[in-house]
């Protein structure tokens, strides 16, 4: 499920690409969706500032990542899919929800909320990375998720405050360490009860290959939970 195209106002493109690569390697068939709604705003990524005169549609922008093969989120049903995955990027906090503005008092897009609740009710796994675990924390009360660490640690975890917000939303935050070993740099956290799998991705300032490996751990566990 995409939220636009570009880290500051939509989907984080590297995360979406990594998810697609790992799903392909895992033998999964993929269908992409996005809500057919206006973006909260448009960011000029070369300046990091809002482009005041512009407006864009989340579905239309997400189609850039999907190479045109995308459908409205309203058409996504649990009956046709074994799992659902949400990349991060500020679009998850701006277009899929109002978290970027309202924090713990945020509202979640009604189709996003429906999808999360439907997959949860059906016992089908849900994968989320970067900032998108806030969606599960808001919609699935008591869900265990991770956004990495709970302290900034000198700028290594610049969005560490999100962990506190997750607790205020009703979720349980689980700290995940950066592991220097043969296993992926990030451990994906697996909430076996709720079948929610999360990994920090760009919540940490680290090399791109570490983020790619962490997302791989998330995807691998999502596919494992499908039982296929």
């Amino acid at each position: 499920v995409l939220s636009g195209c570009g880290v500051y106002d939509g989907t984080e493109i590297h995360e979406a690409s990594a998810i697609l690569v790992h799903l392909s390697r895992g033998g999964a068939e993929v269908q992409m969706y996005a809500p057919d709604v206006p973006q909260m705003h448009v960011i000029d990524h070369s300046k990091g500032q809002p482009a005041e005169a512009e407006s864009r549609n989340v579905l239309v922008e997400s189609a850039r990542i999907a190479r045109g093969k995308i459908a409205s989120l309203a058409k996504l049903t649990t009956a046709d899919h074994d799992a659902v995955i949400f990349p991060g990027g500020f679009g998850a906090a701006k277009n899929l929800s109002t978290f970027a503005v309202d924090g713990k008092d945020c509202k979640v897009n009604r189709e996003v909320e429906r999808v999360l609740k439907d997959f949860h009710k059906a016992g089908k796994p849900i994968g989320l990375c970067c900032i998108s675990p806030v969606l599960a924390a808001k919609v699935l009360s008591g869900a265990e998720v991770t956004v990495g660490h709970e302290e900034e640690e000198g700028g290594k975890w610049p969005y560490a405050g999100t962990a506190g917000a997750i607790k205020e939303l009703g979720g349980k935050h689980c700290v995940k360490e950066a592991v220097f070993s043969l296993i992926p740099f990030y451990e994906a956290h697996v909430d076996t009860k709720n079948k929610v799998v999360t990994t920090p991705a760009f919540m940490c300032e680290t090399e791109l290959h570490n983020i790619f490996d962490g997302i791989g751990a998330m995807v691998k566990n999502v596919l494992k939970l499908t039982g296929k």
Side-chain angles (χ1 to χ4, degrees), residues 13-29:
I13 298 170
H14 295 296
E15 291 177 6
S17 180
I19 290 168
L20 291 169
V21 169
H22 287 295
L23 285 171
S24 176
R25 186 167 286 159
E29 294 182 18

Side-chain angles (χ1 to χ4, degrees), residues 74-202:
K75 297 181 179 180
L76 173 54
T77 65
T78 57
D80 295 330
H81 301 83
D82 298 310
V84 64
I85 296 179
F86 291 80
F90 282 92
K94 293 179 176 180
N95 304 327
L96 303 189
S97 72
T98 63
F99 181 78
V101 176
D102 300 322
K104 66 180 179 63
D105 298 317
C106 69
K107 295 181 180 178
V108 175
N109 171 280
R110 63 181 183 179
E111 290 297 337
V112 172
E113 182 173 3
R114 175 189 64 81
V115 168
L116 287 169
K117 287 182 175 179
D118 284 355
F119 274 80
H120 182 255
K121 184 178 180 180
K124 295 184 175 182
I126 300 166
L128 311 103
C129 65
C130 196
I131 192 65
S132 66
V134 300
L135 303 172
K138 176 67 176 181
V139 174
L140 307 177
S141 181
E144 297 178 1
V145 301
T146 188
V147 290
H149 283 205
E150 298 181 355
E151 301 293 335
E152 290 189 17
E153 299 178 19
K156 183 177 181 181
W157 296 89
Y159 309 106
T162 306
I166 283 171
K167 296 173 185 177
E168 292 181 316
L169 287 168
K172 179 180 178 181
H173 184 258
C174 302
V175 173
K176 286 296 170 182
E177 300 292 336
V179 183
F180 292 93
S181 69
L182 295 177
I183 65 174
F185 188 83
Y186 289 130
E187 294 176 291
H189 180 73
V190 182
D191 178 349
T192 54
K193 177 181 177 182
N194 292 296
K195 291 191 176 181
V196 173
V197 187
T198 51
T199 195
F202 278 102

Side-chain angles (χ1 to χ4, degrees), residues 9 39-56:
D9 58 11
Q39 289 186 184
M40 172 184 155
H41 59 189
V42 178
I43 298 293
D44 179 340
H45 281 61
S46 69
K47 299 176 181 178
Q49 299 174 350
E52 301 295 347
E54 288 192 49
S55 62
R56 299 186 185 184

Side-chain angles (χ1 to χ4, degrees), residues 10 60 73 75 80 118 203 218:
V60 172
L73 187 59
K75 297 181 179 180
D80 295 330
D118 284 355
M203 298 299 277
M218 181 266 286

